[in-house]
Amino acid sequence: MRKMRKIIILLCLICLLLPMLSAHAEDGDAAQRGLAAIQSTAHWDYIQLPKEDSYLDEWKTLYGRKAWYAPSLFVESVPMLKSGAPIRPYLFEGTEVTVVAEENDMSCILYRGADNKLYSGWIQSVRLLEDFPGDLHYIGSAQEGDFDTIHETPQKWSVGWLPQTEQPYTILDQPVENCVGFTLEYQIIAENTANKNWVMGPRTVWVNDGENWTALGCFDYPHNGTVHVEIWLPEPMTVAEIATVAHCQAPNLFDFRQSGKDFLIEK
């Protein structure tokens, strides 16, 4: 009888412990996934890592707010505002971020800098938005069909300039074949002049298939800010490089960022 009572007590204890053990296992999985994601970013060892219980089971996809009197926000290397610690590369307005942890009203984010490299760091959670804050433009005619999507692909800036211009362009590490459309993210990040009218104006988007450049169309850029341009190609093609040409008084004066995302692939 005593033996049976001990077994019942042991079973009750196990039942009580199971939820705690399960929760601990889930926290461990969240921490492992979050840490692995952080360690995939450039110079990740420069930041203070989140506490184990700060990692999120479900990551959040958000966007950087517009900063006061600047095109970018400061990203901290520690979960503390104005810590005095070295800051991370700037987060520009409208840049998509992935939140992997939250701590002290700060979010640990993965994001791409103006050099298109992936970074991690800490930023105030209130500095992030659920919806893209910029303008949306369209080039080309939308196509119907069932397409595969490549949300992101590694990219870098060219060493030289686009022919007949003095502007760099974006090179995809791996060209996207059978592409029918993609989204261009664009923003001036330094006007380098007191006269903003000199650098504002329409932009023509060009795509290189690995051999030739093709003009796809224009989008308006009357004022500074982040924009998404949804581009539909006239036919499926390989996208190896992306360029924008500014039609303004000083097309080579300003600094800008651009990247391609959400590439639609014909099945």
Side-chain angles (χ1 to χ4, degrees):
M1 186 69 179
R2 289 182 179 177
K3 186 175 181 180
M4 180 61 69
R5 187 177 299 171
K6 289 181 179 178
I7 292 174
I8 293 173
I9 293 173
L10 180 60
L11 290 173
C12 290
L13 288 172
I14 291 174
C15 291
L16 289 172
L17 286 172
L18 277 176
M20 290 186 289
L21 292 173
S22 177
H24 180 73
E26 290 178 1
D27 289 343
D29 291 341
Q32 291 169 9
R33 289 193 311 117
L35 178 59
I38 292 172
Q39 290 177 333
S40 69
T41 64
H43 310 300
W44 66 270
D45 50 339
Y46 284 32
I47 77 165
Q48 179 178 318
L49 294 174
K51 298 176 182 177
E52 187 170 349
D53 59 357
S54 298
Y55 288 97
L56 302 179
D57 290 326
E58 294 186 10
W59 297 346
K60 299 178 182 179
T61 300
L62 302 173
Y63 300 89
R65 282 182 180 270
K66 183 177 182 179
W68 290 104
Y69 308 110
S72 59
L73 297 164
F74 288 111
V75 180
E76 302 281 352
S77 55
V78 298
M80 185 183 303
L81 186 63
K82 297 180 180 179
S83 64
I87 63 171
R88 305 290 286 153
Y90 296 130
L91 174 67
F92 287 91
E93 175 197 4
T95 300
E96 182 179 291
V97 308
T98 300
V99 181
V100 298
E102 293 176 335
E103 193 174 308
N104 297 337
D105 295 325
M106 304 280 286
S107 293
C108 184
I109 60 173
L110 315 179
Y111 66 103
R112 293 199 179 274
D115 57 2
N116 285 325
K117 291 182 180 179
L118 187 63
Y119 295 99
S120 55
W122 293 91
I123 193 169
Q124 274 186 299
S125 299
V126 296
R127 298 287 190 180
L128 303 176
L129 300 170
E130 292 185 357
D131 299 316
F132 178 71
D135 295 333
L136 183 61
H137 301 279
Y138 301 90
I139 290 178
S141 300
Q143 302 180 25
E144 296 183 357
D146 185 18
F147 307 113
D148 291 326
T149 302
I150 299 176
H151 180 58
E152 281 195 333
T153 184
Q155 301 166 41
K156 59 189 176 185
W157 283 107
S158 63
V159 176
W161 291 333
L162 181 70
Q164 300 180 359
T165 74
E166 294 182 13
Q167 294 183 343
Y169 52 92
T170 301
I171 301 175
L172 277 60
D173 285 6
Q174 183 65 42
V176 177
E177 299 179 351
N178 296 319
C179 182
V180 297
F182 64 94
T183 296
L184 173 72
E185 186 167 326
Y186 180 92
Q187 181 187 13
I188 287 181
I189 59 176
E191 296 163 354
N192 299 327
T193 176
N195 193 336
K196 296 183 178 182
N197 292 330
W198 286 6
V199 297
M200 303 303 166
R203 269 65 173 156
T204 298
V205 181
W206 291 73
V207 164
N208 192 314
D209 61 4
E211 296 182 0
N212 301 303
W213 285 98
T214 301
L216 301 178
C218 291
F219 67 93
D220 291 331
Y221 198 75
H223 54 81
N224 201 349
T226 182
V227 300
H228 275 176
V229 186
E230 292 188 2
I231 299 170
W232 289 92
L233 304 175
E235 60 183 9
M237 63 182 295
T238 297
V239 177
E241 299 168 341
I242 303 170
T244 53
V245 175
H247 305 289
C248 58
Q249 187 169 345
N252 305 316
L253 187 62
F254 58 88
D255 298 324
F256 65 102
R257 70 179 184 92
Q258 69 178 25
S259 61
K261 60 188 295 184
D262 294 334
F263 294 88
L264 300 178
I265 312 301
E266 186 178 56
K267 291 188 175 180

